[in-house]
Amino acid sequence: MDSRIDTDRSSYLSLFAAFSYGIASMAMVFINKAVLMQYAHSMTLLTLQQLATSLLIHFGRVMGYTKARGLNMETAKKLILVSLFYNANVAFALASLKGVNIPMYIAIKRLTPLAVLIAGFYSGKGKPTTQVTFSVILTAAGVIIAALGDFSFDFFGYSMALTSVFFQTMYLVLVEKSGAEDGLSSVEIMFYNSFLSLPFLLFIIIATGEFPNSLTLVFAKSTSFSFLAILLLSLVMGIVLNYTMFLCTIVNSALTTTIVGVLKGVGSTTLGFVLLGGVQVHALNVTGLVINTAGGVWYSYAKYLQKKSKLPKLMSDVEVHRK
């Protein structure tokens, strides 16, 4: 009875983690695009988001609002690559949003699940089932078909987005591994990720000349309520997105996290055709989105069958242990 209750709670947590990450991720794309349309300094924006995350978790721990443990140097050394890959992923993604519209940005980012599947196979995670493999391939095929209906090709933007896919793949796999091996909570990984990124990001914005001009521009725009509101919302949603992404990856898997990202992308793409400038509708995009959605539904069904087949074996193992 207790094991069944634990299983139900685990299922609800998995569903909550996936749903909350999907909503936060979809909102964040539009919020970042809105900010970058008024404020082009993407690296400074990322630095502010990470600084806000670090301070919030630190003071939350000091005031007793979170049980997250304090900074440990050994743990920090193990997670340094997670932080570097994460920030490289976000930095290139933000850079791509400057020149690529939202539907095309999302279409390129949907190639991540296939990359995660390949990375997981070569890192020794094991071969996925046939249905899981083909469902992810179908999802990626939908992306390619949708991308063939390109309206305004931007080589720089495409290059930045594809580079972001690579770093996001490495980042998600490392997050899943570190969460499983070190027993860190999603809040703790989020704190290490944001804290460790600050020296690197500060160096980048100074070396590239963004700072102090970017800070001066913030003060110059401080008289605009709409800009301050969207900037504050960006900082808050950056924290929410980080937390839900880490939680979804730890509770579910890196592949599940990326598939959720693919599915929420359908809604984002639809809204992207009309919001923040919009784009011209093309038949290939609609066809690609339908194929992409079919792949996502197929994947969900394949994972359900996979978990269902493992459950009887798990229950029998429990019964044997009790005897």
Side-chain angles (χ1 to χ4, degrees):
M1 185 67 177
D2 291 339
S3 61
R4 182 175 297 178
I5 293 175
D6 291 339
T7 301
D8 291 339
R9 288 177 178 173
S10 178
S11 299
Y12 285 130
L13 179 59
S14 298
L15 181 63
F16 169 77
F19 179 77
S20 59
Y21 166 62
I23 295 298
S25 182
M26 182 167 62
M28 195 61 183
V29 173
F30 289 94
I31 292 171
N32 278 336
K33 180 71 173 180
V35 173
L36 291 172
M37 288 175 69
Q38 302 182 53
Y39 184 78
H41 300 292
S42 57
M43 292 301 295
T44 301
L45 176 62
L46 177 57
T47 304
L48 292 174
Q49 290 174 345
Q50 296 295 62
L51 179 61
T53 301
S54 299
L55 292 176
L56 180 66
I57 296 176
H58 172 71
F59 286 112
R61 183 177 62 83
V62 171
M63 298 174 68
Y65 290 112
T66 176
K67 296 180 180 179
R69 290 165 290 183
L71 185 67
N72 180 278
M73 291 308 297
E74 289 300 320
T75 303
K77 291 178 182 178
K78 294 178 182 178
L79 293 177
I80 187 68
L81 280 179
V82 171
S83 177
L84 290 177
F85 281 131
Y86 169 83
N87 286 281
N89 160 45
V90 179
F92 282 106
L94 288 174
S96 70
L97 275 174
K98 295 179 184 179
V100 179
N101 60 60
I102 290 177
M104 294 313 304
Y105 164 80
I106 294 172
I108 297 171
K109 292 288 285 183
R110 286 193 193 120
L111 295 174
T112 306
L114 183 60
V116 169
L117 197 67
I118 296 172
F121 175 74
Y122 282 104
S123 63
K125 192 174 180 179
K127 185 179 179 180
T129 64
T130 301
Q131 288 206 53
V132 168
T133 300
F134 280 107
S135 64
V136 174
I137 292 175
L138 183 64
T139 302
V143 174
I144 296 172
I145 293 173
L148 289 176
D150 193 359
F151 327 105
S152 54
F153 182 80
D154 186 299
F155 179 78
F156 176 79
Y158 268 63
S159 300
M160 295 296 99
L162 288 171
T163 306
S164 175
V165 168
F166 168 77
F167 283 114
Q168 184 179 11
T169 301
M170 300 306 298
Y171 149 70
L172 285 172
V173 172
L174 282 172
V175 166
E176 184 178 9
K177 184 178 179 181
S178 63
E181 292 185 353
D182 300 335
L184 296 173
S185 69
S186 55
V187 174
E188 288 168 341
I189 294 182
M190 186 167 63
F191 173 73
Y192 279 105
N193 174 67
S194 57
F195 178 78
L196 293 172
S197 70
L198 289 176
F200 170 74
L201 291 173
L202 287 173
F203 172 78
I204 292 295
I205 62 175
I206 293 174
T208 57
E210 272 201 22
F211 183 84
N213 294 334
S214 57
L215 192 61
T216 303
L217 183 58
V218 170
F219 286 122
K221 287 180 169 288
S222 61
T223 56
S224 171
F225 176 78
S226 61
F227 173 75
L228 289 179
I230 197 69
L231 179 62
L232 180 60
L233 184 60
S234 173
L235 298 180
V236 173
M237 285 304 300
I239 297 172
V240 174
L241 177 60
N242 284 343
Y243 175 76
T244 55
M245 181 182 294
F246 282 120
L247 181 64
C248 185
T249 304
I250 292 173
V251 172
N252 296 297
S253 68
L255 186 57
T256 299
T257 302
T258 51
I259 286 292
V260 171
V262 168
L263 294 178
K264 65 87 186 173
V266 176
S268 298
T269 300
T270 304
L271 293 174
F273 280 117
V274 295
L275 297 180
L276 301 178
V279 293
Q280 181 183 355
V281 178
H282 195 286
L284 281 177
N285 286 94
V286 177
T287 303
L289 288 175
V290 171
I291 295 175
N292 175 269
T293 304
V297 172
W298 186 10
Y299 168 80
S300 300
Y301 178 69
K303 294 298 288 184
Y304 168 76
L305 292 179
Q306 187 176 338
K307 289 184 178 180
K308 187 177 180 181
S309 64
K310 289 181 179 180
L311 187 59
K313 182 180 183 303
L314 176 63
M315 294 301 295
S316 63
D317 289 343
V318 171
E319 291 299 325
V320 170
H321 178 70
R322 285 178 178 176
K323 294 177 180 180

